[in-house]
Amino acid sequence: KTPGLLELWRLVPGVGLGDPVRLMAVASLALGLAAGEALQAAPRASRAAALLVLLPLAGAALWPRGAAELAPAVAIAPEADELLAFTALPAARIDGVDSPFEGWLYPGLPVASARLAVEPIDSAGEPRAGETIRLPLDLHASPSAPEAARAAPAGAVWFRTPFLLTSRLAAGSWRLTLELLGPGEEEPFARRSAGAFTVAPAVRRHPATLLVLLATLLFLLFHPPGGRGPLGGTIVALALLQGLFFGRGANPTVPRAAVFPPTRTEAILAAGLGPHRFLADPGVLPADTGLVRGLSHLEGYDAMDVAAFNDYRVHVLPRGVNPLLAWSARGVDPTLPAFRLYGVGMFAMREPYEHPEWELVASPAGAGEARAETWIYRARDPWPRAFCVPRVVSVAELARLVEADPRGWDPRALAALDEGWRPAAPFATASVGEPVWTNSTVRVRAELDGDGLLVLTDQAFPGWRVFVDGVERELLTADLIFRAVALEAGAHEIEFRYDPLSIRLGAALSALAGLGILALAIAGMARRPRRPPAPTLPPRGGATTIAG
C-alpha cells in the first residue's frame, strides 16, 4: 500500500482501508494495459530496456525478506527463574497471525495486577521512546491448558492475555516486558523481559503469478514489434487465469461455499441475533461472513468501518487497554454504556467466557443449548437498535460526565449533539418499533408524547438522508457517530435513506460519457470514406483497365 493512499485512509473519514486497495489494483491494471500497448509496437531496444527494469522489480516482488530479524548479538531472551516463567510466547517471526502470551508467578508474591509492555525496537535492540503499548493481563488460578501446570509449582498464579493481536502491529521488531504491580500501585515494582519477535509479512507466491511473469519475459524477448501473433493472446489468457486466483477467498469467481462453508456457528447466530449485532474473536469466522450471510457484525464492510468508528471504540475498552492489540469480543468491556449502544446481542469466541450478563448458547462440547465450532454467548438484556431520548447535551458536557464516571451515563436517557437542537418539551413516554433494513434504507416507527431525539445505532456517514412522514429533515449525529433525527409529539414514520451526491453525479457523468461515445461512433460511421471498387483483371494479353 502506498504511503499517500494510507494517509488518505487515515485523514478522510469517508475512505475505508479497502478503497485504496481496490484503487491500487485498478490503477495497476490501467498502467499494465498502457505499458502493454506501448511495448507491443516498441522497437527491440525499448523492449530490452523494459526487460532490464522488469527483472529487478520481479526479483524484489518475489524474494523480499521484509523486516530483518534481530542479530544474535542483540537478541532478547525471556527472563525466567524460580519465581516466574513463560509458557506461551509469540514466535520469533510472525506473518499475519495473532499470538498467545501466558506464564506463571510463584505463589505468595505480592502481585495485585500485571500488564504487558509492547514496544518497537531498532536493529540494536533499543526501544523507540514514547511508542510503548501496554495491555493488562488477567490473573488466574489455573492455566489455559492443563498440561502447562506440570512445570509450575503448586498454587502458582497464572497471567495471560487472550487478545495479543500481534498481526495488527507494524512490520519490524518488538520487545515484550512483563510488569508486576502491587496493591494500589500504578508503577510496577518489577519488570521481566519476555523476549522479542519480528513482524514480517511474507509474499505469498502463487504459480499463476509466476507463470504470468515468465510469459511476460518471453513476450518482451521474442514477440515481434507490432506483431499480433499467438503469444500476445497467450499473455492475455494467462492474465485472465491469474485474475481468477487474485484474492482467492474473496473473489466472486470462487464458489461462495468454498469461501464461506456453512457452519453451526453461523446457523446459531442467524437464529438468535434478530436485529442485533454480533462480535467475533479474530479467526473465528472468515472476514465479511456477516455481510455474506445477512448477519450484522459490529465491524467490517457490513457494519462500521471508517475512521470515526476507530476513534470511538477506545471508549468501549477498559481503561488503559490499547485498542490496536485488544479489539476482540474478550477485550471489550460489555458493561460500558458506550459498548451497549452498539446493540451487540451475541459473542462468538475462541475460548470459554464468563460474565454475569452473558449466557452460554453453544460450545464445541455441546454445553449450553447446542453444539457449535466455537463458544457462543448471548446478552441477557441487549439494548435496542433504535430508541428515543428526552434529554440532549453538548458533546463536551457528555465527555466530562463520562470521564468522571464511564458507567454513570445512560444513552437511552441522555444523548449528545454538537448541533444546536434541544427538545423544548421533552417527552414522558415513547415507543419505538424494531427497525427494518434494506441495502439503502432503514425504516422505523416511533410514537412519543413530547419532543425527543430518535437515535438509530447505525453509523452516521456522508450520503445518508432522513425523512419523517415523507418530509426530509436534518440528519443529526448523536453520541459522536450514530444517526439521529429530532421528533415532536405524535406518531411518525421515519426513513433513513442512503442517497449520496457522489452516486448521482457518477451516474450523470457515466450517462454523458455513454452519449459522447455513441455520438463519436455515429460521427465516425458517417465520415467513413467509401471503399473504391476492386480492380478487374484485364484479359490475358490485353490492356489493363480499372472499373470506375
Side-chain angles (χ1 to χ4, degrees), residues 17-37:
L17 181 56
D19 297 322
V21 172
R22 286 187 290 272
L23 175 61
M24 284 184 284
V26 173
S28 299
L29 177 61
L31 289 173
L33 291 173
E37 178 71 19

Side-chain angles (χ1 to χ4, degrees), residues 14-284:
V15 176
L17 181 56
D19 297 322
V21 172
R22 286 187 290 272
L23 175 61
M24 284 184 284
V26 173
S28 299
L29 177 61
L31 289 173
L33 291 173
E37 178 71 19
L39 288 173
Q40 182 166 301
R44 292 194 182 276
S46 298
R47 292 191 179 199
L51 185 64
L52 292 176
V53 173
L54 180 63
L55 284 174
L57 288 177
L62 293 176
W63 292 280
R65 284 189 50 82
E69 294 185 21
L70 291 173
V74 296
I76 301 172
E79 297 175 339
D81 52 31
E82 68 278 2
L83 294 181
L84 67 85
F86 303 99
T87 59
L89 290 170
R93 193 173 182 87
I94 294 171
D95 173 23
V97 296
D98 299 326
S99 303
F101 183 84
E102 188 171 17
W104 54 263
L105 300 169
Y106 195 82
L109 292 178
V111 176
S113 61
R115 65 192 184 197
L116 182 65
V118 186
E119 52 191 342
I121 53 178
D122 58 25
S123 58
E126 295 298 321
R128 298 201 291 265
E131 299 187 33
T132 302
I133 299 170
R134 285 184 167 83
L135 289 175
L137 300 176
D138 298 334
L139 299 180
H140 300 272
S142 59
S144 57
E147 58 271 16
R150 299 171 186 166
V157 176
W158 292 83
F159 55 85
R160 65 173 176 266
T161 173
F163 45 78
L164 182 57
L165 306 183
T166 48
S167 63
R168 303 189 183 186
L169 294 174
S173 295
W174 297 78
R175 183 172 72 182
L176 298 175
T177 303
L178 175 67
E179 299 181 343
L180 304 177
L181 294 84
E185 295 180 354
E186 295 185 1
E187 292 298 321
F189 67 83
R191 292 183 175 89
R192 292 293 182 89
S193 170
F197 60 90
T198 300
V199 177
V203 174
R204 290 167 174 79
R205 307 173 185 91
H206 195 280
T209 303
L210 300 177
L211 190 59
V212 169
L213 282 174
L214 177 61
T216 303
L217 294 175
L218 293 175
F219 176 89
L220 292 174
L221 286 172
F222 302 112
H223 195 262
R228 296 185 179 275
L231 190 56
T234 304
I235 295 290
V236 174
L238 288 172
L240 292 174
L241 177 64
Q242 194 266 351
L244 295 176
F245 291 92
F246 176 77
R248 186 168 179 85
N251 192 304
T253 61
V254 180
R256 187 171 72 169
V259 183
F260 301 96
T263 63
R264 287 288 304 154
T265 298
E266 295 171 12
I268 293 170
L269 290 175
L273 269 181
H276 297 97
R277 294 189 172 101
F278 76 96
L279 178 59
D281 277 342
V284 168

